[in-house]
């Protein structure tokens, strides 16, 4: 299969499932997963962090994000002390083992991601590390 297509209404515009985390204000929706051999999958989708409690997430896989929308102040920080007030167009790479905190005040942040993980496993990694 050379190409798979989803219209805007089936990806970008959906409010994706809530991640089972404190605050109930984090949403992750996988859209596509590669058909690579098991253990070598790439999954892409959308991530939304709404106003409220921060999400602290330890990555058990490599992931990249591009910020698409920001309303209010959206801060992404890591365990080294690096803290960024993000804007649309900012691009991030989170290396496996990184602990990253996502916090929005006064609105939401919305991003597209690609992660080296199987489909529908973001919550597994979240719960595995007791974040």
């Amino acid at each position: 299969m050379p190409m798979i297509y989803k219209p805007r209404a089936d990806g970008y515009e959906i409010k994706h499932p809530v991640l089972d985390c404190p605050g109930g204000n984090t949403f992750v929706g996988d859209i596509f997963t590669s058909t690579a051999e098991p253990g070598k999958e790439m999954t892409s989708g959308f991530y939304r962090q709404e106003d409220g409690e921060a999400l602290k997430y330890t990555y058990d896989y490599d992931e990249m994000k591009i910020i698409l929308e920001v309303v209010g102040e959206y801060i992404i920080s890591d365990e080294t002390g690096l803290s960024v007030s993000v804007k649309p167009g900012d691009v991030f790479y989170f290396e496996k083992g990184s602990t990253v905190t996502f916090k929005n005040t006064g609105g939401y942040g919305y991003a597209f991601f690609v992660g080296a993980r199987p489909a529908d496993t973001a919550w597994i990694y979240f719960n595995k590390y007791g974040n």
Side-chain angles (χ1 to χ4, degrees):
M1 179 173 3
M3 183 170 88
I4 302 172
Y5 164 76
K6 288 198 178 199
R8 180 182 175 109
D10 292 337
Y12 190 90
E13 294 179 354
I14 307 174
K15 187 154 187 183
H16 298 283
V18 65
L19 188 66
D20 184 18
C21 62
N25 58 331
T26 302
F27 303 84
V28 176
D30 294 349
I31 300 296
F32 292 121
T33 299
S34 67
T35 56
E37 64 184 86
K40 295 187 178 182
E41 303 92 345
M42 291 188 317
T43 297
S44 64
F46 294 94
Y47 170 84
R48 181 179 176 106
Q49 179 70 33
E50 295 185 349
D51 181 54
E53 192 164 337
L55 173 74
K56 184 176 180 183
Y57 190 88
T58 300
Y59 283 88
D60 192 30
Y61 53 91
D62 290 334
E63 183 176 280
M64 296 164 199
K65 274 186 177 30
I66 182 167
I67 307 303
L68 303 172
E69 300 176 25
V70 174
V71 173
E73 184 171 31
Y74 188 28
I75 306 274
I76 298 177
S77 57
D78 71 9
E79 72 273 15
T80 70
L82 177 61
S83 182
V84 180
S85 179
V86 302
K87 307 288 182 241
D90 289 350
V91 181
F92 292 85
Y93 168 54
F94 306 116
E95 189 174 77
K96 180 179 180 177
S98 300
T99 298
V100 179
T101 301
F102 301 88
K103 173 73 174 162
N104 183 277
T105 305
Y108 66 91
Y110 195 55
F112 180 79
F113 69 83
V114 176
R117 64 170 174 79
D120 301 320
T121 56
W123 66 272
I124 291 171
Y125 293 114
F126 179 78
N127 291 322
K128 180 178 178 181
Y129 290 99
N131 290 305

